[in-house]
């Protein structure tokens, strides 16, 4: 198993390390209550009340946040904030895979992903209910798929 991860499939190791790093950074600093950073409080309340946030309404974010509130652990605000941490971490994973696809460098891809995950603004919006991490995830995923399909 160890040889398979280190020699045969470096992407798996990159994904595992990035997931561990992302959740290791974000979960301890996750907003545990309504947080007044940007529109975070508005998004949390909109998710909990089945409301609509300011235009454009951000329906995908609100639906995914609502799904997260059905998890029977923690308080609901924590779960809504955790959705941003999930999308932030997955963004780091997609970025590491993208850089690995372009460079075939394990170190460069892991460093790039960890740099994004630990950057101030990305971290700030990954621990509260904000749409930026979901939007970044979707944009990078489209870019990764476009490169994968065309090459």
């Amino acid at each position: 198993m160890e040889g398979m991860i280190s020699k045969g499939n470096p992407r798996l190791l990159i994904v595992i390390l990035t997931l561990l790093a992302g959740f290791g950074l974000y979960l301890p600093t996750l907003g545990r209550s309504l947080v007044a950073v940007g529109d975070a409080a508005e998004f949390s309340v909109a998710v909990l009340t089945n409301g609509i946030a300011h235009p454009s309404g951000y329906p995908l974010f609100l639906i995914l946040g609502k799904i997260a509130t059905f998890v029977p652990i923690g308080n609901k605000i924590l779960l809504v904030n955790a959705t941003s941490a999930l999308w932030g971490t997955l963004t780091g994973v997609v970025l590491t895979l993208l850089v690995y696809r372009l460079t075939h460098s394990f170190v460069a891809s892991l460093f790039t992903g960890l740099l994004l995950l630990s950057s101030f603004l990305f971290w700030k919006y990954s621990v509260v209910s904000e749409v930026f991490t979901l939007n970044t995830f979707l944009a990078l995923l489209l870019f990764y798929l476009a490169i994968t399909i065309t090459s």
Side-chain angles (χ1 to χ4, degrees):
M1 176 75 175
E2 183 178 318
M4 180 186 79
I5 292 175
S6 61
K7 292 182 183 174
N9 196 355
R11 287 184 207 150
L12 179 61
L13 185 58
I14 289 170
V15 168
I16 291 170
L17 291 174
T18 308
L19 284 171
L20 290 174
F23 287 126
L25 287 170
Y26 297 152
L27 291 182
T29 58
L30 200 59
R32 309 253 184 253
S33 61
L34 283 178
V35 180
V37 174
D39 297 323
E42 178 187 3
F43 287 127
S44 294
V45 170
V47 166
L48 296 177
T49 62
N50 295 325
I52 299 172
H54 62 278
S56 68
Y58 307 97
L60 179 61
F61 181 81
L62 297 180
I63 290 168
L64 295 172
K66 188 63 175 183
I67 291 170
T69 63
F70 295 126
V71 176
I73 57 171
N75 68 47
K76 294 194 183 296
I77 298 291
L78 175 72
L79 293 170
V80 174
N81 290 339
T83 59
S84 289
L86 172 68
W87 298 120
T89 301
L90 292 177
T91 301
V93 169
V94 172
L95 180 63
T96 56
L97 291 173
L98 177 64
V99 172
Y100 185 79
R101 175 93 176 164
L102 295 173
T103 65
H104 299 290
S105 170
F106 177 83
V107 174
S109 61
L110 193 58
F111 178 76
T112 305
L114 296 178
L115 190 63
L116 173 71
L117 291 175
S118 62
S119 66
F120 174 73
L121 281 177
F122 199 76
W123 190 335
K124 177 181 175 180
Y125 291 117
S126 291
V127 296
V128 297
S129 59
E130 270 290 357
V131 296
F132 302 126
T133 55
L134 177 60
N135 292 342
T136 308
F137 169 75
L138 293 173
L140 266 178
L141 182 63
L142 287 174
F143 191 62
Y144 177 78
L145 291 174
I147 286 179
T148 303
I149 291 170
T150 59
S151 58

